[in-house]
Amino acid sequence: AQKITQTQPGMFVQEKEAVTLDCTYDTSDPSYGLFWYKQPSSGEMIFLIYQGSYDQQNATEGRYSLNFQKARKSANLVISASQLGDSAMYFCAMRENYGGSQGNLIFGKGTKLSVKP
Amino acid sequence: NAGVMQNPRHLVRRRGQEARLRCSPMKGHSHVYWYRQLPEEGLKFMVYLQKENIIDESGMPKERFSAEFPKEGPSILRIQQVVRGDSAAYFCASSPKFNKKSNYGYTFGSGTRLTVV
């Protein structure tokens, strides 16, 4: 079974509008972390936002926020006021703090976001 | 430059040759992770190293692949007798000591694109 599922291979959004990228995860660890990365066409991996499983509040970083629904095991990324520079691949990832190897990340297959002018 | 440095950015090898990929972690980071990204896929964990010590190599293919992180110098991912299926982007990430509560910097390098011809 996949540990990280991103069901949207591609998404389009109009510039200046908000967009939600879906991510669901599967783990039996009581403690874990969830990450979102952006990969532009140049190829580098850019860290966007982090949510710990015990964090009470949803994480926010500028225009990025994470809609964390623990019971549903979902960690959707919300980008507000989309910009043309947001066009990229977006990856959701999880770190299991007890099971498996401590420290490594498990990635989803990604969502390609295209922002239309 | 305080970032994770990977070189070369692009590497072309003929089938049967050896490929050596280098990764210098961020200053102060003692942990290195290698990931592989096949086309249209997310990153897959390969190996996790500390200085002079392999912590977890559960994601490494059993044959032809090896990794090291010597006391001095960069971490090296070595692929012997490359085959076309090894063509991929190889990313290195570094972090300080593992802390379950931290979103500690999984800082990624820009990757090495390996093409086997």
Side-chain angles (χ1 to χ4, degrees), chain B residues 28-31 48 95-99 102 104:
Chain B
H29 285 189
S30 56
H31 297 222
Y48 165 28
S95 73
K97 186 177 180 181
F98 178 67
N99 180 337
S102 174
Y104 64 88

Side-chain angles (χ1 to χ4, degrees), chain A residues 31-32 35 37 39 42-45 47 50 61 89 91 95-98 100-110, chain B residues 9 33 35 37 40-45 48 55-56 58 91 98-110 113:
Chain A
S31 174
Y32 50 91
F35 300 74
Y37 283 86
Q39 187 177 44
S42 51
E44 69 269 31
M45 295 290 289
F47 167 74
Y50 165 83
E61 289 285 349
M89 283 292 289
F91 292 98
R95 177 188 71 213
E96 294 173 311
N97 291 335
Y98 291 100
S101 169
Q102 289 185 352
N104 76 56
L105 296 175
I106 304 163
F107 282 84
K109 292 192 173 186
Chain B
R9 283 297 302 273
Y33 311 80
Y35 290 81
Q37 185 181 29
E40 311 298 323
E41 295 280 329
L43 278 67
K44 293 280 196 294
F45 167 74
Y48 165 28
I55 305 300
D56 180 3
S58 59
F91 286 91
F98 178 67
N99 180 337
K100 291 186 179 70
K101 293 187 178 181
S102 174
N103 68 336
Y104 64 88
Y106 283 106
T107 306
F108 279 83
S110 296
R113 273 88 186 152

Side-chain angles (χ1 to χ4, degrees), chain B residues 50-87:
Chain B
Q50 293 177 23
K51 288 277 188 184
E52 300 184 281
N53 196 15
I54 296 175
I55 305 300
D56 180 3
E57 54 183 348
S58 59
M60 287 277 270
K62 296 285 184 254
E63 297 175 348
R64 302 187 297 107
F65 284 72
S66 62
E68 62 177 6
F69 190 14
K71 187 176 180 180
E72 301 290 337
S75 176
I76 306 285
L77 179 67
R78 183 183 178 206
I79 311 172
Q80 295 177 290
Q81 299 175 339
V82 296
V83 300
R84 288 223 170 109
D86 297 333
S87 295

